[in-house]
Short mmCIF file of all heavy atoms in Angstrom, two decimals:
data_model
loop_
_atom_site.label_atom_id
_atom_site.label_comp_id
_atom_site.label_asym_id
_atom_site.label_seq_id
_atom_site.Cartn_x
_atom_site.Cartn_y
_atom_site.Cartn_z
N LYS A 61 24.84 14.04 -6.87
CA LYS A 61 25.86 12.98 -6.93
C LYS A 61 25.25 11.71 -7.47
O LYS A 61 24.08 11.43 -7.26
CB LYS A 61 26.39 12.68 -5.53
CG LYS A 61 25.33 12.13 -4.61
CD LYS A 61 25.89 11.39 -3.41
CE LYS A 61 26.26 9.96 -3.70
NZ LYS A 61 26.67 9.21 -2.51
N MET A 62 26.09 10.98 -8.19
CA MET A 62 25.69 9.60 -8.53
C MET A 62 26.43 8.68 -7.59
O MET A 62 27.55 9.00 -7.11
CB MET A 62 26.05 9.30 -9.97
CG MET A 62 25.10 9.91 -10.99
SD MET A 62 23.46 9.16 -10.93
CE MET A 62 23.69 7.80 -12.07
N GLU A 106 35.95 8.28 -0.67
CA GLU A 106 36.09 7.57 -1.94
C GLU A 106 36.53 8.50 -3.05
O GLU A 106 36.16 9.69 -3.06
CB GLU A 106 34.79 6.84 -2.29
CG GLU A 106 33.55 7.70 -2.21
CD GLU A 106 32.26 6.87 -2.26
OE1 GLU A 106 32.29 5.67 -1.93
OE2 GLU A 106 31.24 7.42 -2.66
N GLU A 108 36.73 10.23 -6.59
CA GLU A 108 35.73 10.54 -7.62
C GLU A 108 36.27 11.60 -8.57
O GLU A 108 37.34 12.18 -8.35
CB GLU A 108 34.44 11.03 -6.96
CG GLU A 108 33.89 10.09 -5.88
CD GLU A 108 32.38 10.01 -5.81
OE1 GLU A 108 31.70 10.64 -6.65
OE2 GLU A 108 31.88 9.34 -4.88
N GLU A 138 34.55 12.17 -2.19
CA GLU A 138 33.28 12.23 -1.47
C GLU A 138 33.45 11.55 -0.12
O GLU A 138 34.09 10.51 -0.02
CB GLU A 138 32.15 11.51 -2.24
CG GLU A 138 30.83 11.72 -1.46
CD GLU A 138 29.59 11.06 -2.03
OE1 GLU A 138 29.73 10.10 -2.79
OE2 GLU A 138 28.49 11.50 -1.70
N ILE A 140 31.27 9.75 2.46
CA ILE A 140 29.97 9.18 2.68
C ILE A 140 29.87 8.79 4.15
O ILE A 140 30.87 8.49 4.79
CB ILE A 140 29.70 7.95 1.76
CG1 ILE A 140 30.84 6.93 1.87
CG2 ILE A 140 29.52 8.40 0.32
CD1 ILE A 140 30.54 5.61 1.18
N GLY A 237 30.60 9.44 -9.00
CA GLY A 237 30.58 8.16 -8.30
C GLY A 237 31.97 7.67 -8.01
O GLY A 237 32.92 8.01 -8.71
N GLY A 238 32.10 6.87 -6.97
CA GLY A 238 33.41 6.36 -6.55
C GLY A 238 33.97 5.37 -7.56
O GLY A 238 33.26 4.50 -8.05
MG1 LIG B 302 30.27 8.56 -3.90
#
Side-chain angles (χ1 to χ4, degrees):
K61 63 160 277 186
M62 283 292 272
E106 50 193 23
E108 306 215 5
E138 185 182 21
I140 52 170

